[in-house]
Amino acid sequence: MSPFRDDELFEVFKMETEVRLKNMEDGLLRLEKNTGDHDLAYALFREAHSEKGAARIAGIKPIEELSLAIEDHLEAVCEKQIELDDKGVELLFRCIDTIRSSAQALFSGEAIPEGWQEIRDEVNRRTPNLENETDKKPPAKQEKKKDPKGKVKPRQETPEESRQGREESQYPANDKVAGESPSEEGDERKTASTRRTFVRVRADYLSDLLDVVEELSVLRSRNRKEQETSNRANSSYSSLLDSRFRVLRDGFRALRLESLSELFQSFPRFVRDASVKLGKKANIEFSGEGIQMEREVVDALKDPLLHLINNALDHGIESPEKRMREGKSPTGRLWLDAHIAGNTLRLIFGDDGGGIDEGALLEKGRARKLDFNSVQGMSPVEVCMFSAGVSTAKEGAELSGRGVGLSAVRERLLELGGTIGFHSHSGMGCEFVMEIPYRMTAIESVVVQVGGVLIAFPAENVIRLSYVDQDDLVEMGKSSGVDVDGSMLPLLSLGDVFGFEHEVKERLSVVSLGGGGTRVAVRVDSFVGRESLVVRPFDARLGRLPMLAGHGVLDDGRVVLMAEPEALLAHKSISRPLERQSRKTLEKVEELQATVLIVEDSITTRVLERNLISAAGYKVIEAGNGVEALRRLGSESVDCIVTDIQMPRMDGLELIQHIRADEKFKNLPVIVVSARGADEERKKGLDLGADAYIVKTDFEQGTLLDSIRRLI
Amino acid sequence: MTDRKASESWPLLAQRELDLRAEKVARKKESQPRFFHALRLKVGKQSVLLPFENMLQIHSPAPVTHIPGRMPPVLGLMNLRSVTVPVLDLAELCGFDPVPLHAKETKVVLFGPREQSTGFLVSAAESAPKVPHNTKEEKAQDEWKGFAPLLDAVVRFEGESLPLLNTKRLLEKTEELLGGKAV
């Protein structure tokens, strides 16, 4: 029988539990990569604590006790009584999974599955002072209890009192899981006003409504302009109307479109669990996750992508030992890049495993008497790859290998009107390229103007907007180059690319674009602003418009052409090879000979470091995290790395591990500049192979520059 | 006897049959509309008729965004009530001077199947007359040569001779021009 006495409590508990479990899972994934991060452990402890409280109020003992077990274990970690090891992480994941399955059973009106007590007891057995606790009465503990941040309780309590009586007031109310969890106050606001129920709505109705809202948006903008010119505007009323209208428009967009990040969010956990099961190590990285697509397309992509991830982990990624022997990082890399290309969403899924044995695959295909010419546009290897029953996997593969998966993946993509292809490099990995047509997508964009035409770039590809004097242009082969933040980038004239006439200006407006490890400076006439654009494909009668992905509409009704950064970055007029550069360029390059790569997620710190280092005469290039840094290392010559520790996607310690494991970079100087000054952090960084460790709090310009000079 | 009667009645029956057929044809003719609806548009200084079939809406022009690689009469893309459509200058398409985009009377006629519509920029939308079918004249007159590829007929209407555009050919030409083929 449901323990919920009223529907509202049920809905509130359900929503809170979903959010908390997601936060715990994400937090634990990050903690697993950096088990010494006690702040993160503490944030997780708080989530478990809140879940325990909610479960207690709702009267759900299994969830309460499982949450308590997580809380106790993390408390011991925070108090440094134990270190969180692989087994501990695994148990905590199992605990979270058990809470989830218990909650799901409860929400579906079913009985909570048996067996939760074993998980709880197993966690407790690994938690100091709880080793002997079972489902029966816990023994009294005699130590003084304090919260994991070190705050001693005012009076000594029995452990049971202490465990049961940890009140919210002991802990700062605004603590979050690494900045992702909403505050308690926020949760309360949300829960008080939201009843999560679902209705099915026809997608075309939503599309029509969205069209009307977009049209209203244009009318509002025109009306505002008219008011401004007739000087009748009531500014406070107008701005309120504007803000409410944006909420309405964004709300409608959210109804129709879903961000790819929603799709990707479950993959890190999936990769982690599957890797553990296979005795391998792997991470997955994303780009383009901010793209929003029609919900049904996003939903339909989940299964095919999970198939590909399974395959890559099972057959592509090698064991850590084998990877080490082959000079690779012990941790395999999977990546999922999304971008809009023409009227399709292009998804690239890749891994850095051993690649596909094409010879063996063809052999299998021949044995099955496949007709290699059966599918137009597909190579014989692709025909084998995507045919049912053809697999090179050895017997007993854990997750896949029955030769069904990839044919099902292709069928699913065909149903969506899409295509799939792949390329493999023996020993280097494999990439699958999927193209799925779309009807609308929303992209955060930077809008510029060229020859009176509005052009947008996806914001994630825009590195910098800057002004450059004509005199500062440098010859680079057939084209010009421009120095952007110490990096010499080829300059591409957007007017020339599209056949529009540039405005004549002394100072050029330049957009620096980046992607796939390359960068280019693009000349435009002016910057217009940043917009979240709903982008639609061009009318089919226009055919494929080179370098353009689709079109969007600004609030004032003007049509914007969405550029394809990947195509611009590969434009034929760009001269790249150094040997083709003029003497003037070579002199410039010599002046900026030593290149320092700054890896830092904080823009403020990055600017500070960049100004300091470039002022000292070094060429500076930048990356926002370890993943970006590795990409830049792969495409540019770097003499020294200055890196932060705490960063999203890949932190500094993992970056150092990757660098030191790579034969090409193992001697590259690495300087850590981190806010974390604890001796053990410093030791960890240096042990991993950092050449210097500078703490941000006592950061002095001289120290950093001295270290760079000493190491280069 | 019977045979004689039959032979006498045969012409009568045949006549009756013919009468019935004639009546049927006349009824059918009567049921057909004697008019067709058209939009009278001004392209440059010339008025033309465009049949109502496939006509969607008439708008004031919105800002136009040029399409790389496309030349006039393809003007570019226009957002008309949340639908972005390619727009062509109908005057240029018919061999006249371009229509001024920002003139007071300038309109965009949205035309074609809803899912793939086209805007035609015209100097003015004058009226929507009912045009009698029997007013179509021979089209091979020299003065309409400029319209030749798009001309369906010349209509004598309200004391004037007006070119009637052929919508099918107009859409075919549009497709050709949007695809980047030479005019």
Side-chain angles (χ1 to χ4, degrees), chain B residues 2-15:
Chain B
T2 312
D3 285 343
R4 203 185 71 212
K5 268 191 179 174
S7 65
E8 279 175 1
S9 62
W10 167 245
L12 290 173
L13 283 172
Q15 186 57 49

Side-chain angles (χ1 to χ4, degrees), chain A residues 402-654:
Chain A
R402 287 157 297 157
V404 177
L406 287 176
S407 68
V409 166
R410 181 168 172 268
E411 274 166 30
R412 194 75 193 95
L413 285 162
L414 289 177
E415 281 169 23
L416 292 170
T419 59
I420 183 167
F422 86 101
H423 48 264
S424 170
H425 303 283
S426 185
M428 302 278 286
C430 178
E431 266 192 342
F432 288 86
V433 181
M434 291 153 273
E435 293 194 329
I436 303 105
Y438 71 93
R439 278 169 295 174
M440 67 170 89
T441 172
I443 304 173
E444 196 61 31
S445 311
V446 171
V447 182
V448 300
Q449 195 155 354
V450 184
V453 175
L454 294 165
I455 310 247
F457 302 104
E460 71 166 20
N461 292 100
V462 176
I463 299 165
R464 175 170 290 274
L465 305 179
S466 51
Y467 295 101
V468 177
D469 287 335
Q470 289 268 15
D471 294 344
D472 291 338
L473 296 184
V474 174
E475 284 177 43
M476 279 180 84
K478 281 189 282 182
S479 59
S480 299
V482 60
D483 186 344
V484 178
D485 298 336
S487 296
M488 189 58 61
L489 302 184
L491 182 69
L492 186 65
S493 161
L494 209 55
D496 293 347
V497 170
F498 290 128
F500 301 140
E501 205 153 309
H502 274 293
E503 290 172 14
V504 181
K505 283 182 171 179
E506 280 292 300
R507 295 185 79 204
L508 306 182
S509 303
V510 172
V511 181
S512 305
L513 294 177
T518 50
R519 291 199 292 170
V520 65
V522 177
R523 180 190 166 187
V524 301
D525 286 346
S526 58
F527 308 126
V528 175
R530 197 179 164 115
E531 291 280 339
S532 173
L533 285 178
V534 171
V535 177
R536 291 178 166 89
F538 288 112
D539 188 309
R541 292 171 296 174
L542 289 166
R544 178 87 172 91
L545 294 173
M547 316 275 154
L548 291 172
H551 64 83
V553 180
L554 292 185
D555 273 357
D556 61 8
R558 288 182 294 169
V559 178
V560 184
L561 306 178
M562 176 57 78
E564 257 183 48
E566 289 74 17
L568 289 172
L569 286 161
H571 195 268
K572 61 180 188 295
S573 74
I574 299 172
S575 301
R576 289 191 190 281
L578 263 180
E579 55 274 18
R580 286 171 59 196
Q581 292 173 5
S582 68
R583 196 169 56 80
K584 193 177 173 189
T585 314
L586 289 172
E587 280 169 9
K588 185 100 183 168
V589 170
E590 274 165 19
E591 274 171 35
L592 303 164
Q593 206 169 18
T595 302
V596 177
L597 170 60
I598 298 173
V599 192
E600 169 69 63
D601 61 331
S602 156
I603 295 169
T604 313
T605 311
R606 208 157 70 205
V607 170
L608 177 85
E609 291 177 354
R610 183 182 68 218
N611 292 346
L612 173 68
I613 298 169
S614 59
Y618 296 99
K619 176 181 169 184
V620 175
I621 57 175
E622 297 167 32
N625 56 52
V627 174
E628 273 181 39
L630 288 177
R631 281 198 188 146
R632 300 215 68 173
L633 275 176
S635 61
E636 290 172 71
S637 168
V638 172
D639 300 289
C640 179
I641 293 180
V642 174
T643 182
D644 185 19
I645 294 286
Q646 286 282 86
M647 288 180 292
R649 298 185 71 182
M650 183 191 287
D651 66 20
L653 295 176
E654 200 182 335

Side-chain angles (χ1 to χ4, degrees), chain A residues 66-275:
Chain A
L66 285 162
S67 305
L68 178 61
I70 298 175
E71 182 188 345
D72 282 332
H73 196 77
L74 289 169
E75 182 187 30
V77 171
C78 291
E79 289 184 343
K80 299 183 185 167
Q81 294 172 10
I82 51 164
E83 282 200 5
L84 187 61
D85 56 10
D86 288 351
K87 179 72 182 163
V89 170
E90 187 58 38
L91 274 174
L92 293 183
F93 271 123
R94 281 176 60 198
C95 236
I96 292 170
D97 289 343
T98 312
I99 294 176
R100 179 175 285 124
S101 57
S102 303
Q104 276 166 353
L106 205 64
F107 300 151
S108 326
E110 295 162 13
I112 290 177
E114 290 298 316
W116 63 268
Q117 294 94 335
E118 283 80 32
I119 308 286
R120 177 205 57 193
D121 292 346
E122 216 173 324
V123 176
N124 283 345
R125 274 195 291 277
R126 295 181 66 84
T127 306
N129 305 316
L130 297 177
E131 296 93 333
N132 301 318
E133 286 201 17
T134 63
D135 206 17
K136 294 163 192 166
K137 239 4 207 180
K141 289 184 287 182
Q142 294 308 312
E143 37 122 36
K144 188 192 278 185
K145 215 46 184 166
K146 60 181 183 179
D147 101 341
K149 281 287 193 194
K151 183 179 167 186
V152 180
K153 281 195 165 187
R155 77 172 177 87
Q156 190 158 338
E157 298 167 311
T158 66
E160 185 59 13
E161 274 178 332
S162 172
R163 293 179 76 211
Q164 291 187 358
R166 285 180 192 124
E167 296 301 326
E168 292 292 329
S169 58
Q170 287 179 52
Y171 309 106
N174 56 354
D175 269 348
K176 296 173 182 180
V177 167
E180 287 187 7
S181 166
S183 67
E184 298 287 327
E185 194 187 327
D187 279 354
E188 276 163 23
R189 266 203 310 272
K190 242 175 161 181
T191 53
S193 60
T194 314
R195 296 289 301 275
R196 285 270 174 101
T197 52
F198 298 91
V199 288
R200 288 162 69 93
V201 182
R202 266 179 55 174
D204 54 338
Y205 290 171
L206 281 179
S207 296
D208 290 349
L209 275 174
L210 182 57
D211 281 349
V212 173
V213 173
E214 300 283 348
E215 184 190 349
L216 279 173
S217 178
V218 172
L219 291 175
R220 175 186 56 104
S221 173
R222 286 185 186 155
N223 184 46
R224 193 177 55 219
K225 269 190 184 163
E226 275 175 22
Q227 280 190 329
E228 278 165 10
T229 46
S230 62
N231 209 15
R232 283 187 285 113
N234 178 336
S235 62
S236 63
Y237 172 73
S238 292
S239 65
L240 180 64
L241 190 66
D242 281 355
S243 83
R244 299 321 295 157
F245 194 86
R246 271 194 295 274
V247 172
L248 177 68
R249 186 193 62 185
D250 294 347
F252 265 103
R253 280 187 190 173
L255 280 177
R256 186 68 190 95
L257 304 171
E258 187 167 17
S259 163
L260 289 179
S261 62
E262 293 285 317
L263 170 66
F264 295 170
Q265 66 174 352
S266 62
F267 294 165
R269 172 74 197 274
F270 182 82
V271 168
R272 186 248 165 223
D273 287 353
S275 310

Side-chain angles (χ1 to χ4, degrees), chain A residues 674-695:
Chain A
S674 170
R676 307 176 68 83
D679 285 347
E680 60 191 88
E681 289 294 324
R682 191 186 291 261
K683 186 173 178 307
K684 196 167 182 180
L686 295 173
D687 285 350
L688 281 172
D691 297 282
Y693 195 107
I694 299 169
V695 181

